[in-house]
Amino acid sequence: MSHPSPAQHPQPEQSAQPAESVWRLPGLLPLVGMTVMGFGGFATLMSVVPLWVVRGGATETGSGLVTSSLLITTVITQTFVPRLLRRFGHAVVLSAGLIALGLPSFGFALSSDLAPVLALSAVRGIGFGILTVTGSAVVADLAPPARRGAAIGAYGLGIAVPNLIFLPLSVLVVDAVGFTPVFVAGAMPLLGIPAAVVLGRIVRSHRAAPRQPTTRPSNGRRRQDVLRLMLPAGVLLSVTLAGGALITFLPQLVSGAGWPRSGFLASIGLLVLNGIGALTRWLIGGVADRRGAGRLMIPLLVLGAIGMVLLAVSLHRSNVAVLLIGLGLVGCAYGALQNLTLLSAFQQVDRSRTDTASAVWNIGFDSGTAIGSTLLGFIATQAGFVPGVIVLGLLMLAALPAAWRLAIHPQPPGLAVRNDR
């Protein structure tokens, strides 16, 4: 069979206090607080800025480019974050990232033309790249391996709750009041800077402990790590293709189907998608610590693909109930697989390489979101939203071989012992 995960055979020092709440881990509360502010600003603008450029005359393809512009610079930035953290420290890098993510929000109110909106989105992508890689790497650094699933679940709440609240609320506010209040609220990452400074101090003291390795891996070791990380990143990419496309296009997708009160229905749909996603991302962590991450991925990929089929059926037949059921199933897969693939990514590398695991995982997440929104926008322009939704559902099933491989071999040989030290 496979090499057991740390959760399956915890070391004595990790199991001495199993009942202690994961929220008591040093640094977790400032991490979650900073994450809520950062992702709050991100979620507030995620569906609104593409809608803003459509109001300014852009096509669906141009609307998809808004998300792509943000996430292209996100992915590029993510490749440099581990080096930036080693050179400048967490407090400085995180504070700069929150400024880059929050400050450009004020600029959107000045123009709905595509070019300046794309430029501002690109700047925000730099900040988002810093926030995503650093946040998930810190979780692995602060939590012992046997508690990582639960800690990732808690961190996931800091990501999912802002999506749950601000994604649908921002669309409602645009319909009721207009875009300007939403652009002001999009600057909330600036409020997370104090928590980032506190977190930086905790991480610095934590990494000064003797248990942290000081040797730097060879280039060959880095390449091996990245190759192993392709499996969880590939599974993640398949589900974020669908999730990113739906978050970007759901308001337009619903209005194009001709339903009355489309703005309200889109808000409800985003609430279902992200609400169930938040719940499953949180709850799956403890289950994964006990059962292993890989074996849970397969049914979730199938469930997400079924949800996309139901979504396509609902658009074809204008059935609101089927729409919401489909979004719920996709949300279940979208939320749970984020937790499981991140946990699996940390299992692929030594504990000293969690920054690399975080960077690769986040590149998979944001690449999927960018490609998904662009792909759905392109197919919708050519053939409509229904074929685009079906294609994204099929791409989820294409990740089943990678999930099967992770279920059989959750950890490379030798890493189970090293990670638990």
Side-chain angles (χ1 to χ4, degrees):
M1 176 71 176
S2 60
H3 293 267
S5 69
Q8 292 171 308
H9 296 289
Q11 298 296 310
E13 64 269 22
Q14 292 171 334
S15 56
Q17 295 179 331
E20 187 179 44
S21 170
V22 71
W23 295 100
R24 295 174 66 88
L25 288 172
L28 190 63
L29 287 178
L31 170 64
V32 172
M34 176 201 69
T35 301
V36 167
M37 293 296 102
F39 277 85
F42 177 80
T44 296
L45 301 179
M46 185 68 177
S47 294
V48 167
V49 176
L51 192 61
W52 176 239
V53 295
V54 168
R55 298 280 178 91
T59 65
E60 284 83 0
T61 300
S63 178
L65 286 175
V66 171
T67 301
S68 298
S69 173
L70 184 152
L71 293 177
I72 286 170
T73 55
T74 294
V75 170
I76 293 171
T77 302
Q78 285 167 340
T79 63
F80 295 100
V81 171
R83 265 177 281 176
L84 292 174
L85 291 173
R86 286 193 296 268
R87 181 167 182 177
F88 298 106
H90 287 67
V92 172
V93 173
L94 277 171
S95 298
L98 291 168
I99 292 170
L101 181 59
L103 197 59
S105 182
F106 296 116
F108 289 124
L110 301 178
S111 175
S112 61
D113 292 342
L114 186 59
V117 169
L118 291 178
L120 289 169
S121 297
V123 174
R124 293 182 68 238
I126 296 172
F128 192 59
I130 291 172
L131 179 66
T132 51
V133 171
T134 308
S136 51
V138 166
V139 171
D141 191 63
L142 297 179
R147 304 297 306 280
R148 278 183 184 165
I152 291 169
Y155 168 67
L157 278 183
I159 296 173
V161 169
N163 286 325
L164 176 63
I165 297 172
F166 294 112
L167 264 171
L169 184 61
S170 62
V171 176
L172 282 176
V173 171
V174 164
D175 269 0
V177 181
F179 285 91
T180 301
V182 176
F183 293 147
V184 173
M188 72 177 75
L190 301 175
L191 301 178
I193 292 174
V197 173
V198 172
L199 179 64
R201 292 172 182 165
I202 294 172
V203 171
R204 186 172 64 247
S205 63
H206 188 78
R207 291 195 168 188
R211 65 177 181 82
Q212 295 296 327
T214 57
T215 57
R216 297 184 66 180
S218 65
N219 290 334
R221 174 73 176 279
R222 290 192 186 96
R223 284 193 294 270
Q224 290 176 359
D225 287 344
V226 171
L227 287 174
R228 287 196 296 261
L229 290 165
M230 289 297 101
L231 288 174
V235 174
L236 178 70
L237 184 142
S238 74
V239 73
T240 54
L241 286 170
L246 293 179
I247 290 170
T248 300
F249 280 106
L250 191 59
Q252 298 167 60
L253 188 147
V254 170
S255 63
W259 280 306
R261 302 186 66 190
S262 60
F264 177 77
L265 181 57
S267 297
I268 296 299
L270 289 169
L271 186 65
V272 169
L273 177 70
N274 290 291
I276 293 178
L279 186 64
T280 56
R281 185 170 185 177
W282 175 38
L283 295 178
I284 201 72
V287 179
D289 282 337
R290 296 189 300 271
R291 302 286 300 276
R295 68 187 63 180
L296 300 172
M297 295 180 190
I298 296 172
L300 285 163
L301 285 170
V302 174
L303 195 68
I306 292 171
M308 294 298 284
V309 171
L310 291 178
L311 185 58
V313 170
S314 74
L315 297 175
H316 182 67
R317 300 192 175 184
S318 298
N319 190 311
V320 174
V322 175
L323 171 78
L324 296 178
I325 293 171
L327 288 171
L329 294 181
V330 175
C332 182
Y334 185 60
L337 284 168
Q338 289 176 51
N339 187 315
L340 295 174
T341 52
L342 182 56
L343 179 58
S344 177
F346 291 143
Q347 291 175 346
Q348 302 308 306
V349 299
D350 189 87
R351 187 162 188 166
S352 64
R353 302 291 290 150
T354 54
D355 287 350
T356 298
S358 176
V360 173
W361 183 89
N362 278 285
I363 288 169
F365 185 100
D366 295 319
S367 297
T369 304
I371 295 168
S373 61
T374 303
L375 179 61
L376 184 56
F378 176 78
I379 297 175
T381 302
Q382 304 300 317
F385 280 114
V386 172
V389 169
I390 292 173
V391 168
L392 292 173
L394 292 174
L395 290 174
M396 277 196 203
L397 297 179
L400 284 173
W404 178 261
R405 178 68 174 77
L406 290 170
I408 296 175
H409 299 290
Q411 231 174 358
L415 284 183
V417 175
R418 288 201 305 270
N419 276 341
D420 277 339
R421 283 180 180 173

